[in-house]
């Protein structure tokens, strides 16, 4: 366990998301789950490989190894954003599941634009784009930040991210209602069954 105290500024909770907020993620997402393939480990998700694992370059294998075993927490950006954002969570169980925690706490819904999700070049080279989407939404082990902020905060967010050399991508919108809708580039709602990791779900031996 890790315990701590916040400073004088108000802490950013999961419960602060509001309809109209933009949804952001840091870095690339999906690499943590796809790294299991490159490491020869079993994944609970089904991915469509674009090339055999043994044909991955040494650079790709190193990239995925570091993504899985040495993820970089975005503590600096999180502290810098402070009260410029309304809610935040880390992506440890997949974007769909962790964003879902924000939505439940804030009593709102979300629309995710599938074409906006940031994938690494190594991921796109190893698996299909559909598999990248599955990894990003349901894979976990990325430890990137997902946060929401009012649309008027975008310039400040992008400036802070640039100063700290952290990639930040706007991937959707907070709306009224409940649940997460994932839409294609043509605006169609995609049928994505929920495969987010559940720490308390029993699995067969």
């Amino acid at each position: 366990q890790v315990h701590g105290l916040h400073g004088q500024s108000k802490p950013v909770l999961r419960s602060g998301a509001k309809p109209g907020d933009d949804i952001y993620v840091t870095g690339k997402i999906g690499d943590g789950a796809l790294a299991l393939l490159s490491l020869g480990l079993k994944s609970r998700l089904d991915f469509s490989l674009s090339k055999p694992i043994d044909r991955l370059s040494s650079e790709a294998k190193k990239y995925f190894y570091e993504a899985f075993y040495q993820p970089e927490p975005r503590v600096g950006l999180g502290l810098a954003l402070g009260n410029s954002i309304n809610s935040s969570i880390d992506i440890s169980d997949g974007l769909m599941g962790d964003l879902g925690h924000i939505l439940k706490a804030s009593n709102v819904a979300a629309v995710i634009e599938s074409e906006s999700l940031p994938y690494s070049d190594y991921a796109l080279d190893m698996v299909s784009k559909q598999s990248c989407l599955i990894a990003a939404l349901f894979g976990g082990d990325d430890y990137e930040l997902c946060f929401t902020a009012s649309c008027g905060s975008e310039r400040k967010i992008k400036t802070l991210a640039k100063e700290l050399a952290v990639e930040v991508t706007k991937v959707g919108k907070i709306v009224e209602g409940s649940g997460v809708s994932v839409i294609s580039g043509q605006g169609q709602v995609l049928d994505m069954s929920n495969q987010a990791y559940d720490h308390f779900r029993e699995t067969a031996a």
Side-chain angles (χ1 to χ4, degrees), residues 7-188:
Q8 294 182 348
S9 60
K10 184 179 179 181
V12 179
L13 306 177
R14 299 177 181 182
S15 55
K18 304 172 184 177
D21 277 6
D22 292 320
I23 303 169
Y24 296 86
V25 298
T26 60
K28 308 292 187 184
I29 53 177
D31 288 333
L34 294 175
L36 293 174
L37 299 179
S38 69
L39 295 168
L41 302 175
K42 185 178 180 180
S43 173
R44 62 186 173 80
L45 301 172
D46 294 324
F47 297 122
S48 176
L49 290 171
S50 300
K51 63 171 60 177
I53 296 301
D54 59 11
R55 289 182 55 191
L56 286 179
S57 67
S58 58
E59 290 82 4
K61 291 179 180 179
K62 180 176 183 293
Y63 175 84
F64 284 118
Y65 180 92
E66 292 177 350
F68 190 78
Y69 287 113
Q70 300 170 358
E72 182 179 353
R74 307 300 185 178
V75 177
L77 179 62
L79 291 173
L81 290 171
N83 293 332
S84 298
I85 60 178
N86 295 331
S87 66
S88 183
I89 194 170
D90 78 310
I91 306 174
S92 56
D93 299 330
L95 178 61
M96 188 74 85
D98 289 314
L99 176 58
H101 295 317
I102 288 179
L103 304 182
K104 183 177 180 180
S106 301
N107 196 30
V108 291
V111 176
I112 295 296
E113 300 169 0
S114 63
E115 293 297 315
S116 297
L117 295 177
Y119 311 128
S120 69
D121 290 338
Y122 291 113
L124 291 168
D125 183 56
M126 184 173 70
V127 299
S128 67
K129 196 168 184 179
Q130 177 67 12
S131 288
C132 286
L133 176 61
I134 292 172
L137 293 179
F138 306 113
D141 289 323
D142 287 317
Y143 305 104
E144 296 289 351
L145 293 180
C146 171
F147 59 90
T148 75
S150 62
C151 58
S153 301
E154 183 172 6
R155 177 177 293 182
K156 183 176 181 179
I157 289 169
K158 292 295 180 68
T159 298
L160 287 172
K162 185 176 181 180
E163 290 175 353
L164 295 172
V166 177
E167 180 180 0
V168 169
T169 306
K170 184 165 61 175
V171 298
K173 204 85 172 175
I174 295 294
V175 296
E176 295 183 351
S178 62
V180 182
S181 297
V182 182
I183 61 173
S184 68
Q186 292 72 42
Q188 298 174 323

Side-chain angles (χ1 to χ4, degrees), residues 185-199:
Q186 292 72 42
Q188 298 174 323
V189 178
L190 302 177
D191 181 13
M192 305 296 297
S193 59
N194 191 352
Q195 303 176 67
Y197 184 74
D198 184 345
H199 294 275

